[in-house]
Structure formats: structure tokens, C-alpha cells
Amino acid sequence: FSSPGKPRGIPATFFEITTALAFRYFDKGGVDVVVLETGLGGRLDATNVLVKPDLCVITSIGLEHTRILGETIEEIAGEKAGIMKRDVPVLVGPNVPHGVMRGHAEKKGVEKYYECEDVLGEGAIKSTTREVDGVEYVDYDIENSQIATAALHLLQSKQRRRSGDGDGDGDSLPVGQASKQLHPMTDVDIEKGVSLRPPCRFEEMTCHYSTTSDSTAITTSSSSNSNTNINISTTTPNPITVILDVAHNPPAMDLLANKLKATYPNQAKRIVAGFSADKDLSRCAQSLLSIIPNPSSLHLVEAAHPRAATLEDMLKAEPKLGDSNFDEADRSIAAQVQSAVRLAQERGEMVIICGSVFIMSEVRETLGIEEPRDSEYIAEVAGSGMRSGQENFGDKDPEKAAVVA
């Protein structure tokens, strides 16, 4: 991105290029509905180019990507508020500084500022705190489902108003504005839809470990996620419960730790974990050790990605991890997953694999899950040819912002 004859030293990121490709794909395919999730922040995000979407949603805010977005919740809220649009309603989740958000909404001139209870009614709001065997934990699934439900009700309400005003299906709206009608949805449809979860969100599965003189195999025979494609029917002694979760920062790790303690209070646990380098690795390690105080039940992995935390990064952040399982010579994720599953079967443990989304494709492949994956070429380009995130915003030195060939 530069003006003629004046290079600015800010190359397109992999995320920006794939976002542009996605818009082109949506346009050519004539899709009915697009749900865009920002990659980082909001104000300067590649997805924040729509002129007038039907609805803007801000879910929750935590201290993440502070080098780029700001050091305080209020500063980060300002970046997130950058997706608000004039004359477009905004729905805001419960865990945000609403005073700050409402101030930004007023400056932006949004159509209306909603919280979930404004849409669903206070009586319909469920507590996000759950208790199992006397142990309390915050279930983020409840919060996410309520936000999604409120968003769908707002969209349907807006659609009814549009039809009542005689605006038709909106085909005359300019490019970048909403132009399609939603199919009618009942409350049952909405409840069923918001109950579904993407893979790796506390996804529970049953795995089986087997070995012969020639090979080692892990197979997966069931999953709590209905979108996970499993074509294996396996019965072996000592099946292992495996949970995949992309908790990748301290707040998410704390939620995961509490949910595990509540839902599996008496089950011995073994953890495989890998993170991105820009996270608070010390605090993430403390969360891991709150689940399994003995580091010998912890396996460290390193994703083949430029943003991945190295083994050295993790060990430096928390010296206690020096007693965990890792292999500096063989840093493959598969090796540690296989080791963890084998040991878990021998010792009657369950396995939790958590951390960066960058480790999950190789994890799922190792567990024998059959699903579409990026080609090796795409993975290579994403991992080494271009910067994967929008971290160029934080680079002060133009040379550091340059694409690595």
C-alpha cells in the first residue's frame, strides 16, 4: 500500500489479502448473509470497510494485543468501537466498559445502542455463573449464545421494519450495504442455531491409542461438535477423553481452568499447550499449573508459525515449565500429542489440548479427524511468506514491517 513514487513501508498482511479474496468470493457467489469477525481490534481492521452493515456487534473486551490496541481496557474499547457506523444499531455484550462504549456510540451517531437485556428482556438473561459439585465457574458459552440470540432478534426486527416501509429487499442499496433478506426464523430455529459450537471450543471427544511393532495410531470415535467429521467406529480398551479448546490468553485460560475443575473435578489431567509469542506467557503458564500443579503432566508445543511462542519463550516466562515434556530436537506438535495420549491411556488421565489456534490443525490431523485443510502451499505462504496478523500497525521501524521473502 503506497502512493505513486512514495513507498510507505506497510505491506499487506496475509489476513488483509485473504480478507480481500473473501469479499471477492462472497460477491461472485451471491451469498445471502455474511458475518464478518474482525481479525484484530476494529478501527483499523481489514474487515472494517463496509459502508452500512445491518448490525454491529461488540462481544467482550480483555487485555490482549496491548502493544497494538492499547494498554488499558478503555483504550482497547476505543479501537473496538471503531466498527460502529452512523445510523447502524450496535449490540454490546456485558463484559465491556459501557460508559466508554456509549460515548463512542454517541460520537459515531449509531442508530441505537443495545445491551442483551434491551432486546431479550431482563427475565430472559441467564446467569453466566454455573455451579457443579459446589464449584462455581463462568460459562462463556452462555454469554456468547445470549449475544448471538439478541443479534438475530435485532436483525429480524430490522427486516420487518424494512419490509413495512416498502423498501423491498434492498437491492438498490450501494455496494457495501446490506442487500439481502434473511429467511424467517422461529425461536426454536434460533435456539438450535446458537447451541452449535465451532470446533475447538471446549470440544470433547473420545480417542483411542493403539500401537504395533510397525506403527502408532490415534483414532477419534466421537465428538461433542456436530460439525466434526468422524468416520471411524473404534472400540479399544481404555478410551481417552480429549478436550480441544483455543483458550489462548490469560482471561480465557482462567475460564478454561475453572470449567475443567467444575466439570471434571476428580479426573486426572494431562495438558498439551502452545501459545502465540505476544501473549502473557507467564500468566498463561500459571493458569496451566493451577489445573495440573505437577509440570510433568504438561506437554509444550511450538506451532510452525512466525507468531508462535518458541519453547525457549515459554521456559523463560515460567522456569517451572522446565520440568514439563518437550523436545528441542523434535518440535513437531504430533510428537507431543502422541506422547500425551499414550501416557494418558497408561495412567487413566484425560487430555486437554489448548492454546493458540495455530496448533489446532496439526493436533486434529494427529487425532485422526478428517476435515478440509489448507494445502501445504497455502500453509507455507501464511507461515513464512507474509505476516499473518495485522501487527504491522505496531511496527515503528519500516524495515521491520517489510515482507520477509
Side-chain angles (χ1 to χ4, degrees):
F1 296 105
S2 62
S3 56
K6 190 178 181 181
R8 296 178 60 190
I10 306 178
T13 64
F14 181 76
F15 182 82
E16 290 165 343
I17 291 173
T18 51
T19 298
L21 290 172
F23 279 125
R24 177 62 172 156
Y25 180 82
F26 297 154
D27 182 52
K28 292 189 70 175
V31 298
D32 295 319
V33 177
V34 174
V35 180
L36 289 172
E37 180 179 3
T38 59
L40 193 157
R43 182 174 64 92
L44 298 176
D45 193 77
T47 60
N48 194 29
V49 295
L50 296 187
V51 176
K52 194 173 183 182
D54 274 311
L55 177 67
C56 297
V57 181
I58 297 171
T59 54
S60 61
I61 296 176
L63 287 173
E64 187 175 18
H65 303 292
T66 53
R67 183 173 65 86
I68 302 166
L69 301 181
E71 298 291 337
T72 67
I73 290 292
E74 290 72 21
E75 288 177 322
I76 295 173
E79 293 297 319
K80 299 274 189 180
I83 69 168
M84 296 180 184
K85 302 287 186 293
R86 178 170 295 278
D87 297 327
V88 174
V90 59
L91 172 66
V92 184
N95 292 314
V96 303
H98 283 286
V100 174
M101 282 298 187
R102 288 183 182 276
H104 285 288
E106 185 175 348
K107 291 178 183 177
K108 288 277 188 178
V110 304
E111 179 185 287
K112 191 170 181 179
Y113 184 101
Y114 292 95
E115 297 180 46
C116 288
E117 51 264 37
D118 299 328
V119 182
L120 304 177
E122 290 188 8
I125 301 300
K126 299 177 182 178
S127 171
T128 58
T129 301
R130 307 185 84 177
E131 183 176 323
V132 178
D133 295 332
V135 179
E136 285 192 354
Y137 70 99
V138 176
D139 193 335
Y140 53 85
D141 276 343
I142 297 175
E143 180 181 312
N144 291 341
S145 294
Q146 289 178 164
I147 295 171
T149 299
L152 288 168
H153 280 290
L154 283 172
L155 289 171
Q156 292 209 107
S157 176
K158 185 168 186 176
Q159 180 168 289
R160 287 192 294 270
R161 293 199 307 272
R162 182 184 295 162
S163 298
D165 291 340
D167 290 337
D169 61 6
D171 286 340
S172 62
L173 293 175
V175 173
Q177 296 192 24
S179 60
K180 293 288 183 80
Q181 291 276 20
L182 289 172
H183 294 292
M185 290 176 287
T186 66
D187 288 345
V188 173
D189 293 331
I190 293 174
E191 184 176 359
K192 182 179 179 181
V194 301
S195 69
L196 299 176
R197 292 289 172 269
C200 303
R201 270 69 172 183
F202 208 81
E203 182 179 6
E204 300 168 87
M205 55 186 64
T206 302
C207 295
H208 309 263
Y209 179 88
S210 60
T211 183
T212 67
S213 58
D214 298 323
S215 64
T216 296
I218 301 174
T219 54
T220 300
S221 59
S222 65
S223 169
S224 62
N225 189 293
S226 60
N227 295 320
T228 296
N229 182 26
I230 296 173
N231 297 318
I232 301 167
S233 178
T234 304
T235 55
T236 60
N238 303 323
I240 308 139
T241 296
V242 176
I243 293 178
L244 306 185
D245 195 287
V246 286
H248 61 282
N249 57 31
M253 288 299 305
D254 290 342
L255 289 172
L256 174 62
N258 291 333
K259 188 167 185 176
L260 285 168
K261 290 173 186 175
T263 52
Y264 292 94
N266 301 315
Q267 175 66 56
K269 301 172 181 69
R270 182 166 293 274
I271 296 180
V272 180
F275 299 96
S276 293
D278 62 342
K279 307 306 175 192
D280 187 335
L281 299 178
S282 177
R283 278 200 58 203
C284 287
Q286 290 167 18
S287 291
L288 292 174
L289 294 172
S290 75
I291 304 169
I292 46 169
N294 189 342
S296 65
S297 296
L298 177 62
H299 299 249
L300 301 181
V301 297
E302 178 182 325
H305 194 281
R307 283 179 58 195
T310 64
L311 294 176
E312 291 79 5
D313 292 334
M314 291 182 274
L315 295 172
K316 182 179 179 181
E318 177 48 77
K320 291 180 182 177
L321 298 183
D323 293 328
S324 62
N325 301 277
F326 56 90
D327 188 338
E328 292 177 305
D330 180 4
R331 303 192 179 209
S332 69
I333 294 167
Q336 289 302 323
V337 170
Q338 290 171 351
S339 174
V341 172
R342 174 181 61 80
L343 289 170
Q345 186 176 60
E346 292 175 357
R347 302 176 186 184
E349 301 167 328
M350 66 183 296
V351 176
I352 301 99
I353 305 176
C354 60
S356 172
V357 69
F358 299 136
I359 72 172
M360 287 301 175
S361 179
E362 188 174 342
V363 165
R364 295 171 72 82
E365 185 174 10
T366 304
L367 294 176
I369 297 171
E370 298 179 8
E371 58 192 355
R373 290 183 173 83
D374 289 338
S375 68
E376 291 184 6
Y377 176 76
I378 290 294
E380 181 181 355
V381 170
S384 61
M386 301 178 190
R387 302 199 53 180
S388 59
Q390 295 188 326
E391 301 209 346
N392 290 333
F393 293 143
D395 284 331
K396 310 302 182 189
D397 185 344
E399 291 191 10
K400 290 183 179 179
V403 176
V404 179

